[in-house]
Amino acid sequence: MQANDIRVLKSAALLTAAAGLPAIVVASLVAGVQGAIGAGIGLALVAVFFTVGLVVVTWAGRISPAAMMLAAVAGYTVKVLLIMAFLKAFEDTTAFHPRAFAWTVIVCTLVWTVGEMRGFVKLKMLYVEPGRDALPGRGSSDVA
């Protein structure tokens, strides 16, 4: 990963931790130890899924913009399906509180997304290379 990508990851991870830790405390007050465990699993799941997703999209971006888009869409689809499978597999569990897990996943996902957006906005990356023509052969000297 490049330094820019690490800054985006750091921005998102810190904000998510700042939201996830209070979520664990609130879940423990509302649902006891099982609530805290559910919220902790939710926080960990969001952190792992989105970190892996950002790494994969960054890697694919070095190949081509099309590969990056494919990786982003495929990664999103896989994440949604895995979370749905996780919720379905553990819907009747007594090891943790499924509702605390679900709410923590929702909150942490929203916060992670805001953190990524904030990280990308603060990068101030150039989207075009200064001094280069947009299309080869279409410069100002190519007058018909």
Side-chain angles (χ1 to χ4, degrees), residues 42-75:
L43 172 60
L45 189 72
V46 168
V48 169
F49 275 20
F50 281 92
T51 299
V52 169
L54 186 61
V55 170
V56 169
V57 168
T58 299
W59 171 78
R62 283 189 248 150
I63 296 171
S64 75
M68 185 170 85
M69 187 63 182
L70 179 63
V73 171

Side-chain angles (χ1 to χ4, degrees), residues 114-137:
V114 169
E116 274 190 352
M117 288 188 306
R118 180 180 177 268
F120 280 118
V121 166
K122 290 184 85 171
L123 281 181
K124 297 180 183 170
M125 280 182 13
L126 296 174
Y127 295 100
V128 295
E129 293 183 39
R132 292 197 53 184
D133 292 332
L135 296 172

Side-chain angles (χ1 to χ4, degrees), residues 84-107:
M84 286 174 37
F86 190 89
L87 284 171
K88 185 66 179 164
F90 293 101
E91 69 183 344
D92 295 326
T93 188
T94 57
F96 63 88
H97 196 269
R99 188 162 285 158
F101 165 79
W103 278 109
T104 304
V105 167
I106 291 168
V107 168

Side-chain angles (χ1 to χ4, degrees), residues 5 15 26 30 38 42 58 61 104 128 134 136:
D5 301 321
L15 280 177
V26 169
V30 172
T58 299
T104 304
V128 295

